[in-house]
Amino acid sequence: MDLARTEVGARIRGSAAARLGLMAVPVAFFAAFFAYPVAAIVARGLRVDGAWRFGRLWEVLGQSDIRHVLWFTTWQALASTALTLLIALPGAYVFARFDFPGKQVLRAVVTVPFVLPTVVVGTAFLALVGRGGLLDELWGVRLDTTVWAILLAHVFFNYAVVVRTVGGLWAQLDPRQEEAARMLGASRTRAWRTVTLPALAPAVSAAALMVFLFTFTSFGVVQILGGPTFSTLEVEIYRQTSEIFDLSTAAVLTLIQFVAVGAILALHAWTVRRRESALRLVDASVTARRPRGAGQWGLLAGVLGTIVVLLLLPLAVLVQRSFDAPDFGYYRALTSSDGGVFLVPPIEAIGNSLQYAVAATVIAVVIGGLAAAALTRRDAGGFVRGFDALLMLPLGVSAVTVGFGFLIALDEPPLDLRASWILVPLAQALVGVPFVVRTMLPVLRAVDQRLREAAAVLGASPWRVWREVDLPMVRRALLIAAGFAFAVSLGEFGATVFIARPDNPTLPVAVARLLGRAGELNYGQAMALSTILMVVCAVALLVLERLRTDRTGEF
């Protein structure tokens, strides 16, 4: 018996060593392609003649225009988060508790905006509320010069975050707990406030923090809809870097955003741990039922109307604008080069984006898969939890800083990659890895640890344990993770805008360049390319929805 215990202990210690080995590759990847470029651009901005200028921080914060950017960044993120929760929570309830025809298809449709590139979202709302847009044509109303266009675009983009995150937990809460409170004399409102709301609070908090993070670091939406009037930290970093060439100010703003994002991610990790605490959960399929009564049917109709107006209408207007020219004129114009902003016909951006996205997906799945395997044990310690937080940083740190850091840092051996095509997929993979980890980790943690230990006791190596035990159970999650990484890579813009070569533009970069040029033809071509990008992302998402399981359906 003692010998068996000793052997099991040795296997467990071997498993811990294997986990550290799995972490080595992702840690090296993030050190080389995230920490090093970000540190390089910060150092370039804060070091003058070999000396650090930390006083530059107070100089930058003392500028009134920078303080205005910080205020607007925070204010619009808070307003966007509150508006998103207000509009999306009824949708989370409908998808969690109601069963109606077309529910699965509608769930996929609701998620489409989240995987769309921010450039496409900005373009779609420009076609709806901008100059010459639908509202301008019908009622002479323009919102592209107001903050409302930005707020509504952020709700459009993040609606699915609340529906998936909150609705996923809501669907598994046992409704009998609320019914028991009502039998004891509580009103419907009080039962919901005292029973259901506390159980949902961790999920609502997690969703709110995620929405705040995405809107706090918003770039493409504000860049297109904000114009010269509104600027977030991300947009200001881009402006200071690429237009004013003030690396010192850009570095200070990067540090400020880095600290803010770190605080947000720490809060998010805390709420996620609360969400993983013991709750009385049931199978989601038994809690959904057909709406009853005029009130519930009215709620369903209201949610469907919101989806049509807020989510589908901007996309429909985008498609309609792309066909405004007769004989598919805007699409045909994509096949020719005018020798201006593009060195190649814009249509080539489609092939470039697909090739880059495939390469980025392979990198993200390998790195994210290894990281998820290393994080499988919840009791792995503070070091591993810190590693988990590190994996989320690329979602919040300025993509503009990462892209420009690539140009500055990766220009000397052994990492002289500035002229290499792999630079773009590497930047895109940084954004894809967190989605791979978040998709695969819940499924890996659901695998019974005793199965792994039994295989190890029987002599299986860690690699064989993964191949024989884990892989068959997570194969579907792996495909879903690859799909998310592909869609996210396809639409990455903040870093790619710096490192994509003029003769190899990606779709988001091509759209932004076309929108930056005057003329109806350029505007129409931007709408056409955005429509193509939207269709590719939507098809990828519909495939994901067919693969989705209850364990892998949340963000």
Side-chain angles (χ1 to χ4, degrees), residues 73-106:
T73 300
T74 305
W75 176 86
Q76 64 82 27
L78 289 171
S80 297
T81 302
L83 191 60
T84 302
L85 290 175
L86 179 66
I87 295 176
L89 281 177
Y93 175 79
V94 164
F95 279 100
R97 294 303 197 196
F98 290 171
D99 186 23
F100 52 90
K103 178 179 176 179
Q104 295 304 319
V105 175
L106 191 62

PDB file of all heavy atoms in Angstrom, residues 73-106:
ATOM      1  N   THR A  73     -12.792  58.845 -21.910  1.00  0.00           N
ATOM      2  CA  THR A  73     -12.602  57.392 -21.981  1.00  0.00           C
ATOM      3  C   THR A  73     -13.362  56.696 -20.854  1.00  0.00           C
ATOM      4  O   THR A  73     -14.075  55.705 -21.090  1.00  0.00           O
ATOM      5  CB  THR A  73     -11.110  57.045 -21.890  1.00  0.00           C
ATOM      6  OG1 THR A  73     -10.403  57.665 -22.968  1.00  0.00           O
ATOM      7  CG2 THR A  73     -10.892  55.536 -21.957  1.00  0.00           C
ATOM      8  N   THR A  74     -13.215  57.209 -19.644  1.00  0.00           N
ATOM      9  CA  THR A  74     -13.883  56.599 -18.490  1.00  0.00           C
ATOM     10  C   THR A  74     -15.392  56.817 -18.544  1.00  0.00           C
ATOM     11  O   THR A  74     -16.172  55.878 -18.304  1.00  0.00           O
ATOM     12  CB  THR A  74     -13.313  57.180 -17.188  1.00  0.00           C
ATOM     13  OG1 THR A  74     -11.894  57.021 -17.180  1.00  0.00           O
ATOM     14  CG2 THR A  74     -13.901  56.477 -15.982  1.00  0.00           C
ATOM     15  N   TRP A  75     -15.809  58.039 -18.870  1.00  0.00           N
ATOM     16  CA  TRP A  75     -17.235  58.359 -18.879  1.00  0.00           C
ATOM     17  C   TRP A  75     -17.983  57.545 -19.913  1.00  0.00           C
ATOM     18  O   TRP A  75     -19.042  56.960 -19.626  1.00  0.00           O
ATOM     19  CB  TRP A  75     -17.412  59.851 -19.146  1.00  0.00           C
ATOM     20  CG  TRP A  75     -18.856  60.247 -19.270  1.00  0.00           C
ATOM     21  CD1 TRP A  75     -19.698  60.581 -18.265  1.00  0.00           C
ATOM     22  CD2 TRP A  75     -19.626  60.320 -20.480  1.00  0.00           C
ATOM     23  NE1 TRP A  75     -20.948  60.869 -18.759  1.00  0.00           N
ATOM     24  CE2 TRP A  75     -20.934  60.707 -20.120  1.00  0.00           C
ATOM     25  CE3 TRP A  75     -19.330  60.098 -21.823  1.00  0.00           C
ATOM     26  CZ2 TRP A  75     -21.942  60.874 -21.061  1.00  0.00           C
ATOM     27  CZ3 TRP A  75     -20.330  60.259 -22.770  1.00  0.00           C
ATOM     28  CH2 TRP A  75     -21.626  60.651 -22.389  1.00  0.00           C
ATOM     29  N   GLN A  76     -17.455  57.481 -21.139  1.00  0.00           N
ATOM     30  CA  GLN A  76     -18.177  56.749 -22.182  1.00  0.00           C
ATOM     31  C   GLN A  76     -18.182  55.251 -21.897  1.00  0.00           C
ATOM     32  O   GLN A  76     -19.137  54.550 -22.250  1.00  0.00           O
ATOM     33  CB  GLN A  76     -17.591  57.051 -23.561  1.00  0.00           C
ATOM     34  CG  GLN A  76     -16.154  56.605 -23.813  1.00  0.00           C
ATOM     35  CD  GLN A  76     -16.029  55.149 -24.187  1.00  0.00           C
ATOM     36  OE1 GLN A  76     -16.964  54.566 -24.746  1.00  0.00           O
ATOM     37  NE2 GLN A  76     -14.883  54.542 -23.887  1.00  0.00           N
ATOM     38  N   ALA A  77     -17.134  54.724 -21.241  1.00  0.00           N
ATOM     39  CA  ALA A  77     -17.122  53.310 -20.889  1.00  0.00           C
ATOM     40  C   ALA A  77     -18.181  53.001 -19.844  1.00  0.00           C
ATOM     41  O   ALA A  77     -18.889  51.985 -19.926  1.00  0.00           O
ATOM     42  CB  ALA A  77     -15.729  52.905 -20.399  1.00  0.00           C
ATOM     43  N   LEU A  78     -18.308  53.866 -18.827  1.00  0.00           N
ATOM     44  CA  LEU A  78     -19.351  53.677 -17.811  1.00  0.00           C
ATOM     45  C   LEU A  78     -20.738  53.791 -18.432  1.00  0.00           C
ATOM     46  O   LEU A  78     -21.631  52.972 -18.147  1.00  0.00           O
ATOM     47  CB  LEU A  78     -19.185  54.705 -16.696  1.00  0.00           C
ATOM     48  CG  LEU A  78     -17.979  54.517 -15.771  1.00  0.00           C
ATOM     49  CD1 LEU A  78     -17.818  55.732 -14.852  1.00  0.00           C
ATOM     50  CD2 LEU A  78     -18.133  53.239 -14.946  1.00  0.00           C
ATOM     51  N   ALA A  79     -20.939  54.806 -19.288  1.00  0.00           N
ATOM     52  CA  ALA A  79     -22.246  54.988 -19.927  1.00  0.00           C
ATOM     53  C   ALA A  79     -22.564  53.821 -20.856  1.00  0.00           C
ATOM     54  O   ALA A  79     -23.700  53.333 -20.887  1.00  0.00           O
ATOM     55  CB  ALA A  79     -22.262  56.308 -20.701  1.00  0.00           C
ATOM     56  N   SER A  80     -21.577  53.356 -21.617  1.00  0.00           N
ATOM     57  CA  SER A  80     -21.796  52.223 -22.524  1.00  0.00           C
ATOM     58  C   SER A  80     -22.145  50.968 -21.749  1.00  0.00           C
ATOM     59  O   SER A  80     -23.030  50.195 -22.152  1.00  0.00           O
ATOM     60  CB  SER A  80     -20.547  51.989 -23.375  1.00  0.00           C
ATOM     61  OG  SER A  80     -20.264  53.091 -24.209  1.00  0.00           O
ATOM     62  N   THR A  81     -21.457  50.754 -20.617  1.00  0.00           N
ATOM     63  CA  THR A  81     -21.726  49.567 -19.802  1.00  0.00           C
ATOM     64  C   THR A  81     -23.131  49.607 -19.224  1.00  0.00           C
ATOM     65  O   THR A  81     -23.874  48.605 -19.282  1.00  0.00           O
ATOM     66  CB  THR A  81     -20.692  49.461 -18.673  1.00  0.00           C
ATOM     67  OG1 THR A  81     -19.373  49.412 -19.233  1.00  0.00           O
ATOM     68  CG2 THR A  81     -20.925  48.213 -17.839  1.00  0.00           C
ATOM     69  N   ALA A  82     -23.521  50.750 -18.664  1.00  0.00           N
ATOM     70  CA  ALA A  82     -24.866  50.870 -18.080  1.00  0.00           C
ATOM     71  C   ALA A  82     -25.941  50.699 -19.148  1.00  0.00           C
ATOM     72  O   ALA A  82     -26.952  50.000 -18.933  1.00  0.00           O
ATOM     73  CB  ALA A  82     -25.011  52.232 -17.397  1.00  0.00           C
ATOM     74  N   LEU A  83     -25.750  51.309 -20.312  1.00  0.00           N
ATOM     75  CA  LEU A  83     -26.734  51.200 -21.386  1.00  0.00           C
ATOM     76  C   LEU A  83     -26.812  49.771 -21.917  1.00  0.00           C
ATOM     77  O   LEU A  83     -27.911  49.272 -22.215  1.00  0.00           O
ATOM     78  CB  LEU A  83     -26.366  52.168 -22.513  1.00  0.00           C
ATOM     79  CG  LEU A  83     -27.415  52.400 -23.606  1.00  0.00           C
ATOM     80  CD1 LEU A  83     -28.695  52.974 -23.008  1.00  0.00           C
ATOM     81  CD2 LEU A  83     -26.864  53.343 -24.683  1.00  0.00           C
ATOM     82  N   THR A  84     -25.678  49.102 -22.012  1.00  0.00           N
ATOM     83  CA  THR A  84     -25.674  47.715 -22.484  1.00  0.00           C
ATOM     84  C   THR A  84     -26.418  46.809 -21.520  1.00  0.00           C
ATOM     85  O   THR A  84     -27.223  45.955 -21.934  1.00  0.00           O
ATOM     86  CB  THR A  84     -24.234  47.221 -22.668  1.00  0.00           C
ATOM     87  OG1 THR A  84     -23.546  48.067 -23.598  1.00  0.00           O
ATOM     88  CG2 THR A  84     -24.216  45.793 -23.203  1.00  0.00           C
ATOM     89  N   LEU A  85     -26.170  46.959 -20.214  1.00  0.00           N
ATOM     90  CA  LEU A  85     -26.882  46.141 -19.231  1.00  0.00           C
ATOM     91  C   LEU A  85     -28.379  46.413 -19.276  1.00  0.00           C
ATOM     92  O   LEU A  85     -29.199  45.474 -19.212  1.00  0.00           O
ATOM     93  CB  LEU A  85     -26.341  46.426 -17.833  1.00  0.00           C
ATOM     94  CG  LEU A  85     -24.925  45.932 -17.519  1.00  0.00           C
ATOM     95  CD1 LEU A  85     -24.491  46.407 -16.143  1.00  0.00           C
ATOM     96  CD2 LEU A  85     -24.851  44.409 -17.602  1.00  0.00           C
ATOM     97  N   LEU A  86     -28.763  47.677 -19.392  1.00  0.00           N
ATOM     98  CA  LEU A  86     -30.173  48.036 -19.427  1.00  0.00           C
ATOM     99  C   LEU A  86     -30.886  47.397 -20.603  1.00  0.00           C
ATOM    100  O   LEU A  86     -32.020  46.893 -20.481  1.00  0.00           O
ATOM    101  CB  LEU A  86     -30.305  49.566 -19.490  1.00  0.00           C
ATOM    102  CG  LEU A  86     -31.730  50.126 -19.545  1.00  0.00           C
ATOM    103  CD1 LEU A  86     -32.464  49.834 -18.249  1.00  0.00           C
ATOM    104  CD2 LEU A  86     -31.699  51.631 -19.824  1.00  0.00           C
ATOM    105  N   ILE A  87     -30.240  47.379 -21.757  1.00  0.00           N
ATOM    106  CA  ILE A  87     -30.877  46.868 -22.969  1.00  0.00           C
ATOM    107  C   ILE A  87     -30.746  45.346 -23.084  1.00  0.00           C
ATOM    108  O   ILE A  87     -31.667  44.675 -23.564  1.00  0.00           O
ATOM    109  CB  ILE A  87     -30.271  47.552 -24.212  1.00  0.00           C
ATOM    110  CG1 ILE A  87     -30.606  49.050 -24.200  1.00  0.00           C
ATOM    111  CG2 ILE A  87     -30.765  46.914 -25.501  1.00  0.00           C
ATOM    112  CD1 ILE A  87     -29.976  49.831 -25.328  1.00  0.00           C
ATOM    113  N   ALA A  88     -29.636  44.776 -22.597  1.00  0.00           N
ATOM    114  CA  ALA A  88     -29.360  43.358 -22.848  1.00  0.00           C
ATOM    115  C   ALA A  88     -29.886  42.415 -21.771  1.00  0.00           C
ATOM    116  O   ALA A  88     -30.115  41.236 -22.063  1.00  0.00           O
ATOM    117  CB  ALA A  88     -27.853  43.162 -23.020  1.00  0.00           C
ATOM    118  N   LEU A  89     -30.081  42.876 -20.543  1.00  0.00           N
ATOM    119  CA  LEU A  89     -30.550  41.965 -19.493  1.00  0.00           C
ATOM    120  C   LEU A  89     -31.917  41.353 -19.796  1.00  0.00           C
ATOM    121  O   LEU A  89     -32.125  40.151 -19.542  1.00  0.00           O
ATOM    122  CB  LEU A  89     -30.576  42.686 -18.139  1.00  0.00           C
ATOM    123  CG  LEU A  89     -29.210  42.821 -17.450  1.00  0.00           C
ATOM    124  CD1 LEU A  89     -29.324  43.617 -16.159  1.00  0.00           C
ATOM    125  CD2 LEU A  89     -28.610  41.443 -17.165  1.00  0.00           C
ATOM    126  N   PRO A  90     -32.890  42.119 -20.341  1.00  0.00           N
ATOM    127  CA  PRO A  90     -34.126  41.448 -20.760  1.00  0.00           C
ATOM    128  C   PRO A  90     -33.880  40.357 -21.799  1.00  0.00           C
ATOM    129  O   PRO A  90     -34.532  39.308 -21.772  1.00  0.00           O
ATOM    130  CB  PRO A  90     -34.967  42.594 -21.337  1.00  0.00           C
ATOM    131  CG  PRO A  90     -34.455  43.825 -20.651  1.00  0.00           C
ATOM    132  CD  PRO A  90     -32.988  43.587 -20.480  1.00  0.00           C
ATOM    133  N   GLY A  91     -32.942  40.584 -22.705  1.00  0.00           N
ATOM    134  CA  GLY A  91     -32.604  39.554 -23.690  1.00  0.00           C
ATOM    135  C   GLY A  91     -31.991  38.333 -23.038  1.00  0.00           C
ATOM    136  O   GLY A  91     -32.274  37.195 -23.444  1.00  0.00           O
ATOM    137  N   ALA A  92     -31.158  38.544 -21.995  1.00  0.00           N
ATOM    138  CA  ALA A  92     -30.579  37.406 -21.284  1.00  0.00           C
ATOM    139  C   ALA A  92     -31.675  36.561 -20.636  1.00  0.00           C
ATOM    140  O   ALA A  92     -31.619  35.322 -20.657  1.00  0.00           O
ATOM    141  CB  ALA A  92     -29.597  37.913 -20.222  1.00  0.00           C
ATOM    142  N   TYR A  93     -32.688  37.217 -20.070  1.00  0.00           N
ATOM    143  CA  TYR A  93     -33.795  36.481 -19.457  1.00  0.00           C
ATOM    144  C   TYR A  93     -34.590  35.693 -20.504  1.00  0.00           C
ATOM    145  O   TYR A  93     -34.931  34.521 -20.286  1.00  0.00           O
ATOM    146  CB  TYR A  93     -34.719  37.455 -18.724  1.00  0.00           C
ATOM    147  CG  TYR A  93     -35.957  36.796 -18.161  1.00  0.00           C
ATOM    148  CD1 TYR A  93     -35.901  36.070 -16.983  1.00  0.00           C
ATOM    149  CD2 TYR A  93     -37.184  36.886 -18.827  1.00  0.00           C
ATOM    150  CE1 TYR A  93     -37.032  35.454 -16.466  1.00  0.00           C
ATOM    151  CE2 TYR A  93     -38.321  36.269 -18.321  1.00  0.00           C
ATOM    152  CZ  TYR A  93     -38.238  35.556 -17.147  1.00  0.00           C
ATOM    153  OH  TYR A  93     -39.348  34.940 -16.652  1.00  0.00           O
ATOM    154  N   VAL A  94     -34.863  36.326 -21.636  1.00  0.00           N
ATOM    155  CA  VAL A  94     -35.645  35.660 -22.686  1.00  0.00           C
ATOM    156  C   VAL A  94     -34.915  34.427 -23.199  1.00  0.00           C
ATOM    157  O   VAL A  94     -35.511  33.347 -23.340  1.00  0.00           O
ATOM    158  CB  VAL A  94     -35.935  36.656 -23.834  1.00  0.00           C
ATOM    159  CG1 VAL A  94     -36.394  35.914 -25.091  1.00  0.00           C
ATOM    160  CG2 VAL A  94     -36.992  37.656 -23.399  1.00  0.00           C
ATOM    161  N   PHE A  95     -33.624  34.538 -23.472  1.00  0.00           N
ATOM    162  CA  PHE A  95     -32.878  33.379 -23.980  1.00  0.00           C
ATOM    163  C   PHE A  95     -32.695  32.317 -22.907  1.00  0.00           C
ATOM    164  O   PHE A  95     -32.548  31.137 -23.231  1.00  0.00           O
ATOM    165  CB  PHE A  95     -31.513  33.829 -24.513  1.00  0.00           C
ATOM    166  CG  PHE A  95     -31.556  34.399 -25.896  1.00  0.00           C
ATOM    167  CD1 PHE A  95     -31.553  35.773 -26.092  1.00  0.00           C
ATOM    168  CD2 PHE A  95     -31.617  33.580 -27.011  1.00  0.00           C
ATOM    169  CE1 PHE A  95     -31.605  36.314 -27.368  1.00  0.00           C
ATOM    170  CE2 PHE A  95     -31.674  34.100 -28.282  1.00  0.00           C
ATOM    171  CZ  PHE A  95     -31.666  35.479 -28.474  1.00  0.00           C
ATOM    172  N   ALA A  96     -32.708  32.705 -21.636  1.00  0.00           N
ATOM    173  CA  ALA A  96     -32.522  31.741 -20.562  1.00  0.00           C
ATOM    174  C   ALA A  96     -33.803  31.000 -20.213  1.00  0.00           C
ATOM    175  O   ALA A  96     -33.777  29.785 -19.970  1.00  0.00           O
ATOM    176  CB  ALA A  96     -31.981  32.449 -19.320  1.00  0.00           C
ATOM    177  N   ARG A  97     -34.937  31.688 -20.198  1.00  0.00           N
ATOM    178  CA  ARG A  97     -36.154  31.109 -19.642  1.00  0.00           C
ATOM    179  C   ARG A  97     -37.226  30.774 -20.670  1.00  0.00           C
ATOM    180  O   ARG A  97     -38.153  30.033 -20.354  1.00  0.00           O
ATOM    181  CB  ARG A  97     -36.755  32.078 -18.612  1.00  0.00           C
ATOM    182  CG  ARG A  97     -35.915  32.294 -17.368  1.00  0.00           C
ATOM    183  CD  ARG A  97     -35.620  31.005 -16.648  1.00  0.00           C
ATOM    184  NE  ARG A  97     -35.162  31.228 -15.279  1.00  0.00           N
ATOM    185  CZ  ARG A  97     -34.559  30.322 -14.540  1.00  0.00           C
ATOM    186  NH1 ARG A  97     -34.353  29.113 -15.031  1.00  0.00           N
ATOM    187  NH2 ARG A  97     -34.166  30.600 -13.309  1.00  0.00           N
ATOM    188  N   PHE A  98     -37.139  31.324 -21.869  1.00  0.00           N
ATOM    189  CA  PHE A  98     -38.182  31.093 -22.868  1.00  0.00           C
ATOM    190  C   PHE A  98     -37.707  30.105 -23.926  1.00  0.00           C
ATOM    191  O   PHE A  98     -36.528  30.078 -24.285  1.00  0.00           O
ATOM    192  CB  PHE A  98     -38.588  32.397 -23.558  1.00  0.00           C
ATOM    193  CG  PHE A  98     -39.338  33.361 -22.670  1.00  0.00           C
ATOM    194  CD1 PHE A  98     -39.612  34.641 -23.085  1.00  0.00           C
ATOM    195  CD2 PHE A  98     -39.768  32.977 -21.408  1.00  0.00           C
ATOM    196  CE1 PHE A  98     -40.289  35.536 -22.272  1.00  0.00           C
ATOM    197  CE2 PHE A  98     -40.450  33.845 -20.581  1.00  0.00           C
ATOM    198  CZ  PHE A  98     -40.711  35.136 -21.013  1.00  0.00           C
ATOM    199  N   ASP A  99     -38.639  29.331 -24.415  1.00  0.00           N
ATOM    200  CA  ASP A  99     -38.389  28.420 -25.533  1.00  0.00           C
ATOM    201  C   ASP A  99     -39.306  28.829 -26.674  1.00  0.00           C
ATOM    202  O   ASP A  99     -40.527  28.882 -26.502  1.00  0.00           O
ATOM    203  CB  ASP A  99     -38.657  26.977 -25.109  1.00  0.00           C
ATOM    204  CG  ASP A  99     -38.276  25.976 -26.197  1.00  0.00           C
ATOM    205  OD1 ASP A  99     -37.445  26.329 -27.053  1.00  0.00           O
ATOM    206  OD2 ASP A  99     -38.829  24.853 -26.192  1.00  0.00           O
ATOM    207  N   PHE A 100     -38.738  29.146 -27.822  1.00  0.00           N
ATOM    208  CA  PHE A 100     -39.538  29.611 -28.954  1.00  0.00           C
ATOM    209  C   PHE A 100     -38.856  29.184 -30.251  1.00  0.00           C
ATOM    210  O   PHE A 100     -37.650  28.914 -30.267  1.00  0.00           O
ATOM    211  CB  PHE A 100     -39.707  31.135 -28.914  1.00  0.00           C
ATOM    212  CG  PHE A 100     -38.415  31.901 -28.779  1.00  0.00           C
ATOM    213  CD1 PHE A 100     -37.701  32.314 -29.906  1.00  0.00           C
ATOM    214  CD2 PHE A 100     -37.908  32.212 -27.521  1.00  0.00           C
ATOM    215  CE1 PHE A 100     -36.513  33.002 -29.777  1.00  0.00           C
ATOM    216  CE2 PHE A 100     -36.712  32.909 -27.396  1.00  0.00           C
ATOM    217  CZ  PHE A 100     -36.025  33.313 -28.526  1.00  0.00           C
ATOM    218  N   PRO A 101     -39.625  29.083 -31.346  1.00  0.00           N
ATOM    219  CA  PRO A 101     -39.038  28.650 -32.620  1.00  0.00           C
ATOM    220  C   PRO A 101     -37.914  29.585 -33.078  1.00  0.00           C
ATOM    221  O   PRO A 101     -38.016  30.803 -32.945  1.00  0.00           O
ATOM    222  CB  PRO A 101     -40.228  28.706 -33.590  1.00  0.00           C
ATOM    223  CG  PRO A 101     -41.440  28.622 -32.724  1.00  0.00           C
ATOM    224  CD  PRO A 101     -41.078  29.315 -31.445  1.00  0.00           C
ATOM    225  N   GLY A 102     -36.851  28.995 -33.612  1.00  0.00           N
ATOM    226  CA  GLY A 102     -35.737  29.783 -34.126  1.00  0.00           C
ATOM    227  C   GLY A 102     -34.800  30.310 -33.065  1.00  0.00           C
ATOM    228  O   GLY A 102     -33.947  31.162 -33.346  1.00  0.00           O
ATOM    229  N   LYS A 103     -34.908  29.801 -31.839  1.00  0.00           N
ATOM    230  CA  LYS A 103     -34.102  30.330 -30.737  1.00  0.00           C
ATOM    231  C   LYS A 103     -32.605  30.139 -30.990  1.00  0.00           C
ATOM    232  O   LYS A 103     -31.811  31.058 -30.754  1.00  0.00           O
ATOM    233  CB  LYS A 103     -34.519  29.650 -29.432  1.00  0.00           C
ATOM    234  CG  LYS A 103     -33.716  30.080 -28.218  1.00  0.00           C
ATOM    235  CD  LYS A 103     -34.215  29.365 -26.966  1.00  0.00           C
ATOM    236  CE  LYS A 103     -33.367  29.699 -25.749  1.00  0.00           C
ATOM    237  NZ  LYS A 103     -33.869  29.015 -24.533  1.00  0.00           N
ATOM    238  N   GLN A 104     -32.192  28.959 -31.459  1.00  0.00           N
ATOM    239  CA  GLN A 104     -30.770  28.699 -31.670  1.00  0.00           C
ATOM    240  C   GLN A 104     -30.193  29.573 -32.774  1.00  0.00           C
ATOM    241  O   GLN A 104     -29.081  30.093 -32.657  1.00  0.00           O
ATOM    242  CB  GLN A 104     -30.562  27.213 -31.994  1.00  0.00           C
ATOM    243  CG  GLN A 104     -30.928  26.267 -30.860  1.00  0.00           C
ATOM    244  CD  GLN A 104     -30.181  26.581 -29.582  1.00  0.00           C
ATOM    245  OE1 GLN A 104     -28.994  26.898 -29.599  1.00  0.00           O
ATOM    246  NE2 GLN A 104     -30.880  26.511 -28.446  1.00  0.00           N
ATOM    247  N   VAL A 105     -30.970  29.748 -33.851  1.00  0.00           N
ATOM    248  CA  VAL A 105     -30.494  30.614 -34.943  1.00  0.00           C
ATOM    249  C   VAL A 105     -30.376  32.050 -34.456  1.00  0.00           C
ATOM    250  O   VAL A 105     -29.400  32.751 -34.752  1.00  0.00           O
ATOM    251  CB  VAL A 105     -31.442  30.524 -36.151  1.00  0.00           C
ATOM    252  CG1 VAL A 105     -31.029  31.520 -37.232  1.00  0.00           C
ATOM    253  CG2 VAL A 105     -31.446  29.111 -36.715  1.00  0.00           C
ATOM    254  N   LEU A 106     -31.384  32.493 -33.684  1.00  0.00           N
ATOM    255  CA  LEU A 106     -31.359  33.867 -33.177  1.00  0.00           C
ATOM    256  C   LEU A 106     -30.198  34.066 -32.208  1.00  0.00           C
ATOM    257  O   LEU A 106     -29.599  35.142 -32.163  1.00  0.00           O
ATOM    258  CB  LEU A 106     -32.677  34.187 -32.479  1.00  0.00           C
ATOM    259  CG  LEU A 106     -32.909  35.661 -32.127  1.00  0.00           C
ATOM    260  CD1 LEU A 106     -32.951  36.501 -33.396  1.00  0.00           C
ATOM    261  CD2 LEU A 106     -34.206  35.838 -31.346  1.00  0.00           C
TER     262      LEU A 106
END
